[in-house]
Amino acid sequence: MKETLVTIGIILAIISVIAFIIGFIMLFFESQRKSGLKVMLFSVIGFVIGFGTCFANFSLGPMH
């Protein structure tokens, strides 16, 4: 079960980074500025959740 949570956390963190980059690009367009800020905010929140889930369940030692 831990491997599944680590995988989900990694995927969420990667998607959040991609969404942050897309939101940053949206800031350069006048009509998309508010949406870009929202995307960046949600991507930061998603990254924190994904990274926290991954960090809490990640283990370098042998599996028991």
Side-chain angles (χ1 to χ4, degrees), residues 10-24:
I10 290 171
I11 291 170
L12 182 60
I14 291 171
I15 290 172
S16 296
V17 169
I18 293 169
F20 185 84
I21 293 169
I22 291 171
F24 185 75

Side-chain angles (χ1 to χ4, degrees), residues 4-51:
T4 306
L5 290 176
V6 170
T7 304
I8 291 171
I10 290 171
I11 291 170
L12 182 60
I14 291 171
I15 290 172
S16 296
V17 169
I18 293 169
F20 185 84
I21 293 169
I22 291 171
F24 185 75
I25 292 171
M26 288 172 70
L27 289 179
F28 293 111
F29 300 104
E30 191 71 34
S31 62
Q32 299 288 327
R33 204 163 279 195
K34 275 191 170 181
S35 297
L37 287 173
K38 288 179 186 177
V39 169
M40 288 176 69
L41 176 66
F42 292 141
S43 69
V44 168
I45 293 170
F47 182 78
V48 169
I49 292 171
F51 186 76

